[in-house]
Amino acid sequence: MPVSVEDLDRAIRAAFPVSHLEIEDQSSGCGSSYAIFLVSEVFEGKNTLARHRLINQALKQEISQLHAFSQKSFTPAQYATYLAKSG
């Protein structure tokens, strides 16, 4: 059974305190390729690799059913800076 945006949303929100979350189905609706953009305070003090490992562990079951999965993770402060620069 393909993974849906709702499945990922539910799993992410159950695992992390979410400040901001974007989930993009990059597979034209078939549920095999997703990109996520996650902002959470849990990432404070962690480097990119540690953040990705946390996300991969939390979404282990969902990711195993996907062809492709990409992620960007920010702390709330980093996200504010990102918004200011892109704004």
Coordinates of all heavy atoms in Angstrom, one line a residue:
M1 N 0.8 -1.2 0.0 CA 0.0 0.0 0.0 C 0.9 1.2 0.0 O 1.8 1.4 0.8 CB -0.9 0.0 1.2 CG -1.7 1.2 1.4 SD -2.8 1.1 2.9 CE -4.3 1.1 2.0
P2 N 0.6 2.2 -0.9 CA 1.5 3.4 -1.0 C 1.3 4.2 0.3 O 0.3 4.2 1.0 CB 1.0 4.1 -2.2 CG -0.3 3.5 -2.6 CD -0.4 2.2 -1.9
V3 N 2.4 5.0 0.6 CA 2.4 5.9 1.7 C 1.7 7.2 1.2 O 2.0 7.7 0.2 CB 3.8 6.2 2.2 CG1 3.8 7.2 3.3 CG2 4.5 4.9 2.6
S4 N 0.8 7.8 2.1 CA 0.1 9.0 1.7 C 0.8 10.2 2.5 O 1.5 10.0 3.5 CB -1.4 8.9 2.0 OG -1.5 8.9 3.4
V5 N 0.4 11.4 2.0 CA 0.9 12.6 2.7 C 0.3 12.5 4.2 O 1.0 12.9 5.1 CB 0.3 13.8 2.0 CG1 0.5 15.1 2.8 CG2 1.0 14.0 0.7
E6 N -0.9 12.1 4.3 CA -1.5 12.0 5.6 C -0.7 11.0 6.6 O -0.6 11.3 7.7 CB -3.0 11.6 5.5 CG -3.9 12.6 4.9 CD -3.8 12.6 3.4 OE1 -3.3 11.7 2.7 OE2 -4.2 13.7 2.8
D7 N -0.3 9.9 6.0 CA 0.5 8.9 6.8 C 1.8 9.6 7.3 O 2.1 9.4 8.4 CB 0.9 7.7 5.9 CG -0.3 6.9 5.5 OD1 -1.3 6.9 6.2 OD2 -0.2 6.2 4.4
L8 N 2.5 10.3 6.4 CA 3.7 10.9 6.8 C 3.5 12.0 7.8 O 4.2 12.1 8.8 CB 4.4 11.5 5.6 CG 5.2 10.5 4.7 CD1 5.7 11.2 3.4 CD2 6.3 9.8 5.4
D9 N 2.4 12.8 7.6 CA 2.1 13.9 8.5 C 1.8 13.3 9.9 O 2.3 13.8 10.9 CB 0.9 14.6 8.0 CG 0.6 15.9 8.8 OD1 -0.1 15.7 9.8 OD2 1.0 17.0 8.4
R10 N 1.0 12.3 10.0 CA 0.7 11.7 11.2 C 1.9 11.1 12.0 O 2.1 11.4 13.2 CB -0.4 10.6 11.0 CG -1.0 10.0 12.2 CD -2.2 9.0 11.9 NE -2.2 8.4 10.6 CZ -2.9 8.8 9.5 NH1 -3.8 9.8 9.7 NH2 -2.9 8.2 8.4
A11 N 2.8 10.4 11.2 CA 4.0 9.9 11.8 C 4.9 10.9 12.3 O 5.5 10.8 13.4 CB 4.7 8.9 10.8
I12 N 5.1 12.0 11.5 CA 6.0 13.1 11.9 C 5.5 13.8 13.1 O 6.2 14.1 14.1 CB 6.2 14.1 10.7 CG1 7.0 13.4 9.6 CG2 6.9 15.3 11.2 CD1 7.0 14.1 8.3
R13 N 4.2 14.1 13.1 CA 3.6 14.9 14.3 C 3.6 14.0 15.6 O 3.7 14.6 16.7 CB 2.3 15.4 13.9 CG 2.3 16.5 12.9 CD 1.0 17.1 12.6 NE 1.1 18.0 11.4 CZ 1.5 19.2 11.5 NH1 1.8 19.8 12.7 NH2 1.5 20.0 10.4
A14 N 3.6 12.7 15.4 CA 3.6 11.8 16.6 C 5.0 11.7 17.2 O 5.2 11.5 18.4 CB 3.1 10.4 16.2
A15 N 6.0 11.9 16.3 CA 7.4 11.8 16.7 C 8.1 13.1 17.2 O 9.1 13.0 17.9 CB 8.2 11.1 15.6
F16 N 7.7 14.2 16.6 CA 8.4 15.5 16.9 C 7.4 16.6 17.2 O 6.3 16.6 16.7 CB 9.1 15.9 15.6 CG 10.1 14.9 15.1 CD1 9.8 14.1 14.0 CD2 11.3 14.8 15.7 CE1 10.7 13.2 13.6 CE2 12.3 13.9 15.2 CZ 12.0 13.1 14.2
P17 N 7.9 17.5 18.1 CA 7.1 18.8 18.3 C 7.3 19.6 17.0 O 8.4 20.1 16.7 CB 7.7 19.4 19.5 CG 9.1 18.9 19.6 CD 9.0 17.5 18.9
V18 N 6.3 19.8 16.2 CA 6.4 20.5 14.9 C 6.0 21.9 15.0 O 5.0 22.3 15.4 CB 5.5 19.8 13.9 CG1 5.5 20.5 12.6 CG2 5.9 18.3 13.7
S19 N 7.0 22.8 14.6 CA 6.7 24.2 14.4 C 6.2 24.5 13.0 O 5.4 25.4 12.8 CB 8.0 25.0 14.7 OG 8.5 24.8 16.0
H20 N 6.7 23.8 12.0 CA 6.3 24.0 10.6 C 6.6 22.7 9.9 O 7.6 22.1 10.1 CB 7.1 25.1 10.0 CG 6.7 25.4 8.6 ND1 5.6 26.1 8.2 CD2 7.4 25.0 7.4 CE1 5.6 26.1 6.9 NE2 6.6 25.5 6.4
L21 N 5.7 22.3 9.0 CA 5.9 21.1 8.2 C 5.3 21.2 6.9 O 4.2 21.7 6.7 CB 5.2 19.9 9.0 CG 5.2 18.5 8.2 CD1 6.6 18.0 8.0 CD2 4.4 17.5 9.0
E22 N 6.1 20.9 5.9 CA 5.7 20.8 4.5 C 6.0 19.4 4.0 O 7.1 18.9 4.2 CB 6.4 21.8 3.6 CG 6.1 23.3 4.0 CD 6.9 24.3 3.2 OE1 7.4 24.0 2.1 OE2 7.1 25.4 3.7
I23 N 5.1 18.8 3.3 CA 5.3 17.5 2.7 C 4.9 17.6 1.3 O 3.7 18.0 0.9 CB 4.4 16.4 3.4 CG1 4.8 16.3 4.9 CG2 4.7 15.0 2.7 CD1 3.9 15.4 5.7
E24 N 5.8 17.2 0.4 CA 5.5 17.3 -1.1 C 5.6 15.9 -1.7 O 6.6 15.3 -1.6 CB 6.5 18.2 -1.7 CG 6.3 18.4 -3.2 CD 7.4 19.2 -3.9 OE1 8.3 19.8 -3.2 OE2 7.4 19.3 -5.1
D25 N 4.5 15.5 -2.3 CA 4.5 14.2 -3.1 C 5.2 14.6 -4.4 O 4.6 15.3 -5.2 CB 3.1 13.7 -3.2 CG 3.0 12.4 -4.0 OD1 4.1 12.0 -4.6 OD2 2.0 11.8 -4.0
Q26 N 6.4 14.0 -4.6 CA 7.1 14.3 -5.9 C 6.9 13.2 -6.9 O 7.6 13.1 -7.9 CB 8.6 14.5 -5.5 CG 8.8 15.7 -4.7 CD 10.3 15.9 -4.3 OE1 11.0 15.0 -4.1 NE2 10.7 17.2 -4.3
S27 N 5.9 12.3 -6.6 CA 5.7 11.2 -7.5 C 4.4 11.3 -8.3 O 3.9 10.3 -8.8 CB 5.7 9.9 -6.7 OG 4.7 9.9 -5.8
S28 N 3.9 12.5 -8.5 CA 2.7 12.7 -9.2 C 1.5 11.9 -8.7 O 0.6 11.4 -9.4 CB 2.9 12.3 -10.7 OG 3.9 13.1 -11.3
G29 N 1.5 11.8 -7.3 CA 0.3 11.2 -6.7 C 0.4 9.7 -6.4 O -0.5 9.1 -5.8
C30 N 1.5 9.0 -6.8 CA 1.5 7.6 -6.6 C 2.1 7.2 -5.3 O 2.0 6.0 -4.9 CB 2.2 6.8 -7.7 SG 4.0 7.0 -7.7
G31 N 2.6 8.1 -4.5 CA 3.1 7.9 -3.2 C 4.4 7.2 -3.0 O 4.6 6.5 -2.1
S32 N 5.3 7.3 -4.0 CA 6.5 6.6 -3.9 C 7.7 7.5 -3.7 O 8.8 7.1 -3.5 CB 6.8 5.8 -5.2 OG 6.9 6.6 -6.3
S33 N 7.5 8.9 -3.8 CA 8.6 9.8 -3.6 C 8.1 11.1 -2.9 O 7.2 11.7 -3.4 CB 9.2 10.2 -5.0 OG 10.2 11.1 -4.8
Y34 N 8.7 11.4 -1.8 CA 8.3 12.5 -1.0 C 9.5 13.4 -0.6 O 10.6 12.8 -0.4 CB 7.6 12.1 0.3 CG 6.2 11.6 0.1 CD1 6.0 10.2 0.0 CD2 5.2 12.4 0.0 CE1 4.7 9.7 -0.2 CE2 3.9 11.9 -0.2 CZ 3.7 10.6 -0.3 OH 2.4 10.1 -0.6
A35 N 9.3 14.6 -0.4 CA 10.2 15.6 0.2 C 9.6 16.2 1.4 O 8.4 16.6 1.3 CB 10.7 16.6 -0.8
I36 N 10.3 16.3 2.5 CA 9.7 17.0 3.6 C 10.6 18.2 4.1 O 11.8 18.2 3.8 CB 9.5 16.1 4.9 CG1 10.8 15.6 5.5 CG2 8.6 14.9 4.5 CD1 10.7 15.0 6.8
F37 N 10.0 19.1 4.6 CA 10.6 20.3 5.2 C 10.1 20.4 6.6 O 8.9 20.7 6.8 CB 10.2 21.5 4.4 CG 11.0 22.8 4.7 CD1 12.0 23.3 4.0 CD2 10.6 23.5 5.8 CE1 12.7 24.4 4.3 CE2 11.2 24.7 6.2 CZ 12.3 25.2 5.4
L38 N 10.9 20.2 7.6 CA 10.5 20.1 9.0 C 11.2 21.0 9.9 O 12.4 21.1 9.9 CB 10.7 18.6 9.5 CG 10.4 18.3 11.0 CD1 8.9 18.6 11.3 CD2 10.7 16.8 11.3
V39 N 10.4 21.8 10.7 CA 11.0 22.7 11.6 C 10.6 22.2 13.0 O 9.4 22.1 13.3 CB 10.5 24.2 11.4 CG1 11.1 25.1 12.4 CG2 10.8 24.6 10.0
S40 N 11.6 22.0 13.9 CA 11.3 21.5 15.2 C 12.4 21.9 16.2 O 13.5 21.9 15.9 CB 11.2 20.0 15.2 OG 10.9 19.5 16.5
E41 N 11.9 22.2 17.4 CA 12.9 22.6 18.5 C 13.8 21.4 18.9 O 14.9 21.6 19.4 CB 12.1 23.1 19.7 CG 11.2 22.1 20.3 CD 10.2 22.7 21.3 OE1 9.8 23.8 21.1 OE2 9.9 21.9 22.2
V42 N 13.4 20.2 18.6 CA 14.1 19.0 18.9 C 15.5 19.0 18.2 O 16.4 18.3 18.6 CB 13.3 17.7 18.7 CG1 13.3 17.4 17.2 CG2 13.9 16.6 19.5
F43 N 15.6 19.8 17.1 CA 16.9 19.8 16.3 C 17.9 20.7 16.9 O 19.1 20.8 16.4 CB 16.6 20.2 14.9 CG 15.7 19.2 14.2 CD1 14.6 19.7 13.4 CD2 15.8 17.9 14.3 CE1 13.8 18.9 12.7 CE2 14.9 17.0 13.7 CZ 13.9 17.5 12.9
E44 N 17.6 21.5 18.0 CA 18.6 22.4 18.6 C 19.8 21.6 19.0 O 19.7 20.6 19.6 CB 18.0 23.1 19.8 CG 16.8 24.0 19.5 CD 17.3 25.3 18.9 OE1 18.5 25.7 18.9 OE2 16.4 26.1 18.4
G45 N 21.0 22.1 18.6 CA 22.2 21.5 19.0 C 22.6 20.3 18.3 O 23.6 19.6 18.6
K46 N 21.8 19.9 17.2 CA 22.2 18.7 16.5 C 22.6 19.1 15.1 O 22.0 20.0 14.5 CB 20.9 17.8 16.4 CG 20.6 17.2 17.7 CD 19.4 16.3 17.6 CE 19.0 15.6 18.9 NZ 18.9 16.4 20.0
N47 N 23.6 18.4 14.5 CA 24.0 18.7 13.2 C 23.1 18.0 12.2 O 22.2 17.3 12.6 CB 25.5 18.3 13.0 CG 25.7 16.8 13.1 OD1 24.8 16.0 12.8 ND2 26.9 16.4 13.4
T48 N 23.3 18.3 10.9 CA 22.4 17.8 9.9 C 22.3 16.3 9.9 O 21.2 15.7 9.8 CB 22.9 18.3 8.5 OG1 22.9 19.7 8.5 CG2 21.9 17.8 7.4
L49 N 23.4 15.6 10.0 CA 23.4 14.2 10.0 C 22.6 13.6 11.2 O 21.7 12.7 11.0 CB 24.8 13.6 10.1 CG 24.9 12.1 10.1 CD1 24.3 11.5 8.8 CD2 26.4 11.7 10.2
A50 N 22.7 14.2 12.4 CA 22.0 13.7 13.5 C 20.5 14.0 13.3 O 19.6 13.1 13.7 CB 22.5 14.4 14.8
R51 N 20.1 15.1 12.7 CA 18.7 15.4 12.5 C 18.1 14.4 11.5 O 17.0 13.9 11.7 CB 18.6 16.8 11.9 CG 19.0 17.9 12.8 CD 19.0 19.2 12.1 NE 19.6 20.2 13.0 CZ 19.5 21.5 12.8 NH1 18.9 22.0 11.7 NH2 20.1 22.4 13.6
H52 N 18.9 14.1 10.4 CA 18.4 13.2 9.4 C 18.2 11.8 10.0 O 17.3 11.1 9.7 CB 19.3 13.2 8.2 CG 19.1 14.4 7.4 ND1 19.6 14.4 6.1 CD2 18.6 15.6 7.6 CE1 19.3 15.6 5.6 NE2 18.7 16.3 6.5
R53 N 19.1 11.4 10.9 CA 19.0 10.1 11.5 C 17.8 10.0 12.4 O 17.1 9.0 12.4 CB 20.3 9.8 12.4 CG 21.5 9.4 11.5 CD 22.7 9.1 12.4 NE 23.8 8.6 11.5 CZ 25.0 8.6 11.9 NH1 25.4 9.1 13.1 NH2 26.0 8.2 11.1
L54 N 17.5 11.1 13.1 CA 16.3 11.1 14.0 C 15.0 11.0 13.1 O 14.1 10.2 13.4 CB 16.2 12.5 14.7 CG 17.0 12.7 16.0 CD1 16.9 14.1 16.5 CD2 16.5 11.7 17.0
I55 N 15.0 11.7 12.0 CA 13.8 11.6 11.1 C 13.7 10.2 10.5 O 12.7 9.6 10.4 CB 13.9 12.7 10.0 CG1 13.7 14.1 10.7 CG2 12.8 12.5 9.0 CD1 14.1 15.3 9.8
N56 N 14.9 9.7 10.0 CA 14.8 8.4 9.4 C 14.4 7.3 10.3 O 13.6 6.4 10.0 CB 16.2 8.0 8.8 CG 16.6 8.8 7.6 OD1 15.8 9.5 7.0 ND2 17.9 8.8 7.3
Q57 N 14.8 7.4 11.6 CA 14.4 6.4 12.6 C 12.9 6.5 12.9 O 12.2 5.5 12.9 CB 15.2 6.6 13.9 CG 14.9 5.6 14.9 CD 15.2 4.1 14.5 OE1 16.2 3.9 13.8 NE2 14.3 3.2 14.9
A58 N 12.4 7.7 13.0 CA 11.0 8.0 13.3 C 10.1 7.5 12.1 O 9.0 7.0 12.4 CB 10.7 9.4 13.6
L59 N 10.6 7.6 10.9 CA 9.8 7.3 9.7 C 10.3 6.0 9.1 O 10.0 5.7 7.9 CB 9.9 8.4 8.7 CG 9.4 9.8 9.2 CD1 9.5 10.8 8.1 CD2 7.9 9.7 9.6
K60 N 10.9 5.1 9.8 CA 11.5 3.9 9.3 C 10.5 3.1 8.5 O 10.8 2.6 7.4 CB 12.1 3.1 10.5 CG 12.9 1.9 10.0 CD 13.5 1.3 11.3 CE 14.4 0.1 10.9 NZ 15.1 -0.5 12.1
Q61 N 9.4 2.9 9.1 CA 8.4 2.0 8.4 C 7.9 2.7 7.1 O 7.8 2.0 6.0 CB 7.2 1.8 9.3 CG 6.1 0.9 8.7 CD 5.0 0.7 9.7 OE1 5.0 1.0 10.8 NE2 3.9 0.0 9.2
E62 N 7.6 4.0 7.1 CA 7.1 4.7 5.9 C 8.2 4.8 4.8 O 7.9 4.5 3.7 CB 6.7 6.1 6.3 CG 5.4 6.1 7.1 CD 5.6 5.9 8.6 OE1 6.8 5.8 9.1 OE2 4.6 5.7 9.4
I63 N 9.4 5.1 5.2 CA 10.5 5.2 4.3 C 10.8 3.9 3.6 O 11.1 3.9 2.4 CB 11.8 5.8 5.0 CG1 11.6 7.3 5.3 CG2 13.0 5.7 4.0 CD1 12.7 7.9 6.2
S64 N 10.7 2.8 4.3 CA 10.9 1.5 3.7 C 10.0 1.2 2.5 O 10.3 0.3 1.7 CB 10.8 0.4 4.7 OG 9.5 0.2 5.1
Q65 N 8.9 1.9 2.4 CA 7.9 1.7 1.3 C 8.1 2.7 0.2 O 7.3 2.6 -0.8 CB 6.5 1.8 1.9 CG 6.2 0.8 3.0 CD 4.8 1.0 3.6 OE1 3.8 1.1 2.9 NE2 4.8 1.2 4.9
L66 N 9.0 3.6 0.3 CA 9.2 4.6 -0.7 C 10.4 4.3 -1.6 O 11.3 3.7 -1.3 CB 9.5 6.0 0.0 CG 8.4 6.5 1.0 CD1 8.9 7.8 1.6 CD2 7.1 6.7 0.3
H67 N 10.3 4.9 -2.8 CA 11.4 4.9 -3.8 C 12.4 5.9 -3.5 O 13.6 5.7 -3.6 CB 10.8 5.0 -5.2 CG 11.9 5.2 -6.3 ND1 12.6 4.1 -6.6 CD2 12.3 6.2 -7.0 CE1 13.5 4.5 -7.6 NE2 13.3 5.8 -7.8
A68 N 11.9 7.1 -3.1 CA 12.8 8.3 -2.8 C 12.2 9.1 -1.7 O 11.0 9.3 -1.5 CB 13.0 9.1 -4.0
F69 N 13.1 9.6 -0.8 CA 12.7 10.4 0.3 C 13.8 11.5 0.6 O 15.0 11.1 0.7 CB 12.6 9.6 1.6 CG 12.2 10.3 2.8 CD1 10.9 10.8 3.0 CD2 13.1 10.6 3.8 CE1 10.5 11.5 4.1 CE2 12.8 11.3 4.9 CZ 11.5 11.8 5.1
S70 N 13.5 12.7 0.6 CA 14.4 13.8 0.9 C 13.9 14.6 2.0 O 12.7 14.7 2.2 CB 14.8 14.6 -0.4 OG 13.6 15.4 -0.8
Q71 N 14.8 15.3 2.7 CA 14.4 16.0 3.9 C 15.3 17.2 4.1 O 16.5 17.2 3.8 CB 14.4 15.1 5.1 CG 15.8 14.5 5.4 CD 15.8 13.5 6.5 OE1 15.6 13.9 7.7 NE2 15.9 12.2 6.2
K72 N 14.6 18.3 4.6 CA 15.3 19.4 5.1 C 14.8 19.6 6.5 O 13.6 19.6 6.8 CB 15.0 20.7 4.3 CG 15.6 20.6 2.9 CD 15.4 21.9 2.2 CE 16.1 21.8 0.8 NZ 15.9 23.0 0.0
S73 N 15.7 19.9 7.5 CA 15.3 20.1 8.9 C 16.0 21.3 9.4 O 17.1 21.6 9.2 CB 15.7 18.8 9.7 OG 17.0 18.5 9.5
F74 N 15.2 22.1 10.1 CA 15.6 23.4 10.7 C 15.1 23.5 12.1 O 14.1 23.0 12.5 CB 15.1 24.6 9.9 CG 15.6 24.7 8.5 CD1 15.0 24.2 7.5 CD2 16.8 25.5 8.3 CE1 15.5 24.3 6.2 CE2 17.3 25.6 7.0 CZ 16.7 25.0 6.0
T75 N 15.9 24.3 12.9 CA 15.4 24.7 14.2 C 14.5 25.9 13.9 O 14.5 26.5 12.9 CB 16.5 25.2 15.1 OG1 17.2 26.3 14.6 CG2 17.5 24.1 15.3
P76 N 13.6 26.3 14.9 CA 12.8 27.5 14.7 C 13.6 28.8 14.4 O 13.2 29.6 13.5 CB 12.0 27.6 16.0 CG 11.9 26.2 16.5 CD 13.2 25.6 16.1
A77 N 14.8 28.9 15.0 CA 15.6 30.1 14.8 C 16.2 30.1 13.3 O 16.2 31.1 12.6 CB 16.8 30.2 15.8
Q78 N 16.6 28.9 12.9 CA 17.1 28.7 11.6 C 16.0 29.0 10.5 O 16.3 29.6 9.5 CB 17.7 27.3 11.3 CG 19.0 27.1 12.1 CD 19.4 25.6 12.0 OE1 18.6 24.7 12.1 NE2 20.7 25.4 11.9
Y79 N 14.8 28.6 10.8 CA 13.7 28.8 9.9 C 13.4 30.3 9.8 O 13.1 30.8 8.7 CB 12.5 28.0 10.4 CG 11.3 28.1 9.5 CD1 11.4 27.8 8.1 CD2 10.1 28.5 9.9 CE1 10.3 27.8 7.3 CE2 9.0 28.6 9.1 CZ 9.1 28.2 7.8 OH 8.0 28.3 6.9
A80 N 13.5 31.0 10.9 CA 13.2 32.4 10.9 C 14.2 33.1 10.0 O 13.9 34.0 9.2 CB 13.2 33.0 12.3
T81 N 15.5 32.7 10.1 CA 16.6 33.3 9.3 C 16.3 32.9 7.8 O 16.5 33.8 7.0 CB 17.9 32.7 9.7 OG1 18.1 33.1 11.1 CG2 19.1 33.3 8.9
Y82 N 15.9 31.7 7.6 CA 15.6 31.3 6.2 C 14.5 32.1 5.6 O 14.6 32.6 4.5 CB 15.2 29.8 6.2 CG 14.7 29.2 5.0 CD1 15.5 28.8 3.9 CD2 13.3 29.1 4.8 CE1 14.9 28.3 2.8 CE2 12.7 28.6 3.7 CZ 13.6 28.2 2.6 OH 13.0 27.7 1.5
L83 N 13.5 32.3 6.4 CA 12.3 33.2 5.9 C 12.8 34.6 5.6 O 12.3 35.2 4.6 CB 11.2 33.1 6.9 CG 10.4 31.8 7.0 CD1 9.4 32.0 8.1 CD2 9.8 31.4 5.7
A84 N 13.6 35.1 6.5 CA 14.1 36.5 6.3 C 14.9 36.7 5.0 O 14.8 37.7 4.3 CB 14.9 36.9 7.5
K85 N 15.7 35.7 4.7 CA 16.5 35.7 3.6 C 15.7 35.5 2.3 O 16.1 36.1 1.2 CB 17.6 34.7 3.6 CG 18.7 35.0 4.6 CD 19.8 34.0 4.6 CE 20.9 34.3 5.6 NZ 21.9 33.3 5.7
S86 N 14.7 34.7 2.3 CA 13.9 34.4 1.1 C 12.8 35.3 0.9 O 12.1 35.2 -0.1 CB 13.5 32.9 1.2 OG 12.6 32.7 2.3
G87 N 12.5 36.1 1.9 CA 11.3 36.9 2.0 C 11.2 38.1 1.1 O 10.3 38.6 0.6

